[in-house]
Amino acid sequence: MDCAKYLELLSDYCDGTLDDETRALVQMHLGECLPCDGILHDLDTIVRTAVILRSETNSITYPDEQIIWQRLSLSKQIIH
Ligand SMILES: [Zn+2]
């Protein structure tokens, strides 16, 4: 199981920009890998929260993308 490979794809998976074949592979991995599935949920929550914060505040820029990538690299270290 190559979690690091799939974690790199999760961001695109959330955005829905993966091709069908790759998305199916990611889905299959998420179905059998609890840590990666948990990270997807985290990522999804962060992205949703960031969108809400942006729409509520308008003028303030939160470093949300940076937080996401920090969390992802932390997760990678844990899984490795
Ligand atoms: Zn995994």
PDB file of all heavy atoms in Angstrom, residues 10-29:
ATOM      1  N   LEU A  10      -4.946  13.333  -3.062  1.00  0.00           N
ATOM      2  CA  LEU A  10      -6.177  13.641  -2.322  1.00  0.00           C
ATOM      3  C   LEU A  10      -6.699  15.047  -2.602  1.00  0.00           C
ATOM      4  O   LEU A  10      -7.909  15.252  -2.678  1.00  0.00           O
ATOM      5  CB  LEU A  10      -5.964  13.480  -0.814  1.00  0.00           C
ATOM      6  CG  LEU A  10      -6.093  12.047  -0.278  1.00  0.00           C
ATOM      7  CD1 LEU A  10      -6.014  12.059   1.234  1.00  0.00           C
ATOM      8  CD2 LEU A  10      -7.381  11.397  -0.731  1.00  0.00           C
ATOM      9  N   SER A  11      -5.771  16.000  -2.722  1.00  0.00           N
ATOM     10  CA  SER A  11      -6.176  17.382  -2.975  1.00  0.00           C
ATOM     11  C   SER A  11      -6.928  17.481  -4.306  1.00  0.00           C
ATOM     12  O   SER A  11      -7.982  18.096  -4.388  1.00  0.00           O
ATOM     13  CB  SER A  11      -4.934  18.278  -2.966  1.00  0.00           C
ATOM     14  OG  SER A  11      -5.278  19.546  -3.455  1.00  0.00           O
ATOM     15  N   ASP A  12      -6.375  16.838  -5.332  1.00  0.00           N
ATOM     16  CA  ASP A  12      -7.032  16.820  -6.637  1.00  0.00           C
ATOM     17  C   ASP A  12      -8.330  16.031  -6.575  1.00  0.00           C
ATOM     18  O   ASP A  12      -9.307  16.359  -7.252  1.00  0.00           O
ATOM     19  CB  ASP A  12      -6.107  16.205  -7.700  1.00  0.00           C
ATOM     20  CG  ASP A  12      -4.949  17.124  -8.034  1.00  0.00           C
ATOM     21  OD1 ASP A  12      -5.082  18.342  -7.802  1.00  0.00           O
ATOM     22  OD2 ASP A  12      -3.922  16.633  -8.513  1.00  0.00           O
ATOM     23  N   TYR A  13      -8.314  14.978  -5.745  1.00  0.00           N
ATOM     24  CA  TYR A  13      -9.514  14.171  -5.567  1.00  0.00           C
ATOM     25  C   TYR A  13     -10.647  15.033  -5.010  1.00  0.00           C
ATOM     26  O   TYR A  13     -11.783  14.966  -5.475  1.00  0.00           O
ATOM     27  CB  TYR A  13      -9.200  13.004  -4.628  1.00  0.00           C
ATOM     28  CG  TYR A  13     -10.363  12.089  -4.343  1.00  0.00           C
ATOM     29  CD1 TYR A  13     -10.713  11.096  -5.252  1.00  0.00           C
ATOM     30  CD2 TYR A  13     -11.094  12.210  -3.175  1.00  0.00           C
ATOM     31  CE1 TYR A  13     -11.779  10.255  -5.000  1.00  0.00           C
ATOM     32  CE2 TYR A  13     -12.155  11.374  -2.900  1.00  0.00           C
ATOM     33  CZ  TYR A  13     -12.498  10.394  -3.816  1.00  0.00           C
ATOM     34  OH  TYR A  13     -13.553   9.571  -3.550  1.00  0.00           O
ATOM     35  N   CYS A  14     -10.327  15.860  -4.004  1.00  0.00           N
ATOM     36  CA  CYS A  14     -11.316  16.766  -3.414  1.00  0.00           C
ATOM     37  C   CYS A  14     -11.828  17.770  -4.447  1.00  0.00           C
ATOM     38  O   CYS A  14     -12.997  18.116  -4.455  1.00  0.00           O
ATOM     39  CB  CYS A  14     -10.705  17.535  -2.246  1.00  0.00           C
ATOM     40  SG  CYS A  14     -10.679  16.594  -0.731  1.00  0.00           S
ATOM     41  N   ASP A  15     -10.910  18.232  -5.278  1.00  0.00           N
ATOM     42  CA  ASP A  15     -11.286  19.222  -6.291  1.00  0.00           C
ATOM     43  C   ASP A  15     -12.052  18.593  -7.451  1.00  0.00           C
ATOM     44  O   ASP A  15     -12.635  19.285  -8.261  1.00  0.00           O
ATOM     45  CB  ASP A  15     -10.031  19.906  -6.862  1.00  0.00           C
ATOM     46  CG  ASP A  15      -9.344  20.775  -5.823  1.00  0.00           C
ATOM     47  OD1 ASP A  15     -10.014  21.133  -4.841  1.00  0.00           O
ATOM     48  OD2 ASP A  15      -8.163  21.089  -6.002  1.00  0.00           O
ATOM     49  N   GLY A  16     -12.007  17.257  -7.529  1.00  0.00           N
ATOM     50  CA  GLY A  16     -12.691  16.560  -8.623  1.00  0.00           C
ATOM     51  C   GLY A  16     -11.984  16.696  -9.952  1.00  0.00           C
ATOM     52  O   GLY A  16     -12.590  16.645 -11.009  1.00  0.00           O
ATOM     53  N   THR A  17     -10.657  16.862  -9.901  1.00  0.00           N
ATOM     54  CA  THR A  17      -9.911  17.078 -11.147  1.00  0.00           C
ATOM     55  C   THR A  17      -9.164  15.831 -11.628  1.00  0.00           C
ATOM     56  O   THR A  17      -8.447  15.882 -12.613  1.00  0.00           O
ATOM     57  CB  THR A  17      -8.890  18.228 -10.983  1.00  0.00           C
ATOM     58  OG1 THR A  17      -8.082  17.959  -9.839  1.00  0.00           O
ATOM     59  CG2 THR A  17      -9.593  19.557 -10.781  1.00  0.00           C
ATOM     60  N   LEU A  18      -9.326  14.714 -10.921  1.00  0.00           N
ATOM     61  CA  LEU A  18      -8.652  13.486 -11.339  1.00  0.00           C
ATOM     62  C   LEU A  18      -9.417  12.820 -12.495  1.00  0.00           C
ATOM     63  O   LEU A  18     -10.631  12.956 -12.594  1.00  0.00           O
ATOM     64  CB  LEU A  18      -8.579  12.495 -10.168  1.00  0.00           C
ATOM     65  CG  LEU A  18      -7.673  12.873  -8.999  1.00  0.00           C
ATOM     66  CD1 LEU A  18      -7.817  11.830  -7.897  1.00  0.00           C
ATOM     67  CD2 LEU A  18      -6.234  13.010  -9.421  1.00  0.00           C
ATOM     68  N   ASP A  19      -8.678  12.091 -13.339  1.00  0.00           N
ATOM     69  CA  ASP A  19      -9.377  11.326 -14.373  1.00  0.00           C
ATOM     70  C   ASP A  19     -10.052  10.104 -13.721  1.00  0.00           C
ATOM     71  O   ASP A  19      -9.742   9.728 -12.594  1.00  0.00           O
ATOM     72  CB  ASP A  19      -8.398  10.891 -15.481  1.00  0.00           C
ATOM     73  CG  ASP A  19      -7.268  10.052 -14.945  1.00  0.00           C
ATOM     74  OD1 ASP A  19      -7.510   8.866 -14.645  1.00  0.00           O
ATOM     75  OD2 ASP A  19      -6.155  10.587 -14.800  1.00  0.00           O
ATOM     76  N   ASP A  20     -10.979   9.512 -14.442  1.00  0.00           N
ATOM     77  CA  ASP A  20     -11.818   8.447 -13.884  1.00  0.00           C
ATOM     78  C   ASP A  20     -10.995   7.295 -13.323  1.00  0.00           C
ATOM     79  O   ASP A  20     -11.280   6.773 -12.248  1.00  0.00           O
ATOM     80  CB  ASP A  20     -12.769   7.895 -14.963  1.00  0.00           C
ATOM     81  CG  ASP A  20     -13.872   8.900 -15.275  1.00  0.00           C
ATOM     82  OD1 ASP A  20     -13.998   9.882 -14.517  1.00  0.00           O
ATOM     83  OD2 ASP A  20     -14.579   8.703 -16.276  1.00  0.00           O
ATOM     84  N   GLU A  21      -9.961   6.899 -14.059  1.00  0.00           N
ATOM     85  CA  GLU A  21      -9.159   5.746 -13.655  1.00  0.00           C
ATOM     86  C   GLU A  21      -8.437   6.029 -12.334  1.00  0.00           C
ATOM     87  O   GLU A  21      -8.453   5.214 -11.409  1.00  0.00           O
ATOM     88  CB  GLU A  21      -8.145   5.434 -14.760  1.00  0.00           C
ATOM     89  CG  GLU A  21      -7.499   4.077 -14.600  1.00  0.00           C
ATOM     90  CD  GLU A  21      -6.388   3.863 -15.631  1.00  0.00           C
ATOM     91  OE1 GLU A  21      -6.396   4.572 -16.664  1.00  0.00           O
ATOM     92  OE2 GLU A  21      -5.517   3.031 -15.379  1.00  0.00           O
ATOM     93  N   THR A  22      -7.820   7.228 -12.239  1.00  0.00           N
ATOM     94  CA  THR A  22      -7.082   7.590 -11.034  1.00  0.00           C
ATOM     95  C   THR A  22      -8.022   7.747  -9.852  1.00  0.00           C
ATOM     96  O   THR A  22      -7.729   7.318  -8.737  1.00  0.00           O
ATOM     97  CB  THR A  22      -6.295   8.906 -11.258  1.00  0.00           C
ATOM     98  OG1 THR A  22      -5.591   8.813 -12.482  1.00  0.00           O
ATOM     99  CG2 THR A  22      -5.315   9.146 -10.124  1.00  0.00           C
ATOM    100  N   ARG A  23      -9.184   8.359 -10.102  1.00  0.00           N
ATOM    101  CA  ARG A  23     -10.160   8.552  -9.030  1.00  0.00           C
ATOM    102  C   ARG A  23     -10.636   7.205  -8.480  1.00  0.00           C
ATOM    103  O   ARG A  23     -10.788   7.026  -7.278  1.00  0.00           O
ATOM    104  CB  ARG A  23     -11.348   9.379  -9.533  1.00  0.00           C
ATOM    105  CG  ARG A  23     -12.214   9.893  -8.383  1.00  0.00           C
ATOM    106  CD  ARG A  23     -13.268  10.873  -8.826  1.00  0.00           C
ATOM    107  NE  ARG A  23     -14.144  10.309  -9.824  1.00  0.00           N
ATOM    108  CZ  ARG A  23     -14.434  10.872 -10.993  1.00  0.00           C
ATOM    109  NH1 ARG A  23     -13.931  12.046 -11.276  1.00  0.00           N
ATOM    110  NH2 ARG A  23     -15.229  10.289 -11.855  1.00  0.00           N
ATOM    111  N   ALA A  24     -10.823   6.246  -9.378  1.00  0.00           N
ATOM    112  CA  ALA A  24     -11.248   4.908  -8.948  1.00  0.00           C
ATOM    113  C   ALA A  24     -10.174   4.267  -8.068  1.00  0.00           C
ATOM    114  O   ALA A  24     -10.484   3.619  -7.060  1.00  0.00           O
ATOM    115  CB  ALA A  24     -11.532   4.032 -10.168  1.00  0.00           C
ATOM    116  N   LEU A  25      -8.902   4.461  -8.443  1.00  0.00           N
ATOM    117  CA  LEU A  25      -7.797   3.919  -7.654  1.00  0.00           C
ATOM    118  C   LEU A  25      -7.772   4.535  -6.258  1.00  0.00           C
ATOM    119  O   LEU A  25      -7.593   3.840  -5.255  1.00  0.00           O
ATOM    120  CB  LEU A  25      -6.447   4.171  -8.351  1.00  0.00           C
ATOM    121  CG  LEU A  25      -6.102   3.291  -9.546  1.00  0.00           C
ATOM    122  CD1 LEU A  25      -4.840   3.802 -10.227  1.00  0.00           C
ATOM    123  CD2 LEU A  25      -5.922   1.845  -9.101  1.00  0.00           C
ATOM    124  N   VAL A  26      -7.953   5.862  -6.207  1.00  0.00           N
ATOM    125  CA  VAL A  26      -7.952   6.563  -4.921  1.00  0.00           C
ATOM    126  C   VAL A  26      -9.121   6.075  -4.073  1.00  0.00           C
ATOM    127  O   VAL A  26      -8.963   5.790  -2.881  1.00  0.00           O
ATOM    128  CB  VAL A  26      -8.031   8.098  -5.116  1.00  0.00           C
ATOM    129  CG1 VAL A  26      -8.177   8.817  -3.783  1.00  0.00           C
ATOM    130  CG2 VAL A  26      -6.775   8.597  -5.826  1.00  0.00           C
ATOM    131  N   GLN A  27     -10.287   5.962  -4.690  1.00  0.00           N
ATOM    132  CA  GLN A  27     -11.477   5.504  -3.968  1.00  0.00           C
ATOM    133  C   GLN A  27     -11.254   4.109  -3.390  1.00  0.00           C
ATOM    134  O   GLN A  27     -11.619   3.834  -2.247  1.00  0.00           O
ATOM    135  CB  GLN A  27     -12.686   5.473  -4.907  1.00  0.00           C
ATOM    136  CG  GLN A  27     -13.588   6.675  -4.699  1.00  0.00           C
ATOM    137  CD  GLN A  27     -14.581   6.850  -5.839  1.00  0.00           C
ATOM    138  OE1 GLN A  27     -14.550   6.115  -6.813  1.00  0.00           O
ATOM    139  NE2 GLN A  27     -15.445   7.828  -5.713  1.00  0.00           N
ATOM    140  N   MET A  28     -10.645   3.245  -4.182  1.00  0.00           N
ATOM    141  CA  MET A  28     -10.388   1.881  -3.746  1.00  0.00           C
ATOM    142  C   MET A  28      -9.447   1.892  -2.532  1.00  0.00           C
ATOM    143  O   MET A  28      -9.651   1.177  -1.553  1.00  0.00           O
ATOM    144  CB  MET A  28      -9.765   1.082  -4.885  1.00  0.00           C
ATOM    145  CG  MET A  28      -9.932  -0.403  -4.761  1.00  0.00           C
ATOM    146  SD  MET A  28      -9.741  -1.195  -6.376  1.00  0.00           S
ATOM    147  CE  MET A  28      -8.004  -0.917  -6.697  1.00  0.00           C
ATOM    148  N   HIS A  29      -8.417   2.734  -2.623  1.00  0.00           N
ATOM    149  CA  HIS A  29      -7.455   2.816  -1.516  1.00  0.00           C
ATOM    150  C   HIS A  29      -8.124   3.360  -0.255  1.00  0.00           C
ATOM    151  O   HIS A  29      -7.906   2.844   0.838  1.00  0.00           O
ATOM    152  CB  HIS A  29      -6.270   3.696  -1.912  1.00  0.00           C
ATOM    153  CG  HIS A  29      -5.247   3.814  -0.829  1.00  0.00           C
ATOM    154  ND1 HIS A  29      -4.379   2.798  -0.522  1.00  0.00           N
ATOM    155  CD2 HIS A  29      -4.994   4.812   0.054  1.00  0.00           C
ATOM    156  CE1 HIS A  29      -3.627   3.173   0.501  1.00  0.00           C
ATOM    157  NE2 HIS A  29      -3.971   4.394   0.874  1.00  0.00           N
TER     158      HIS A  29
END
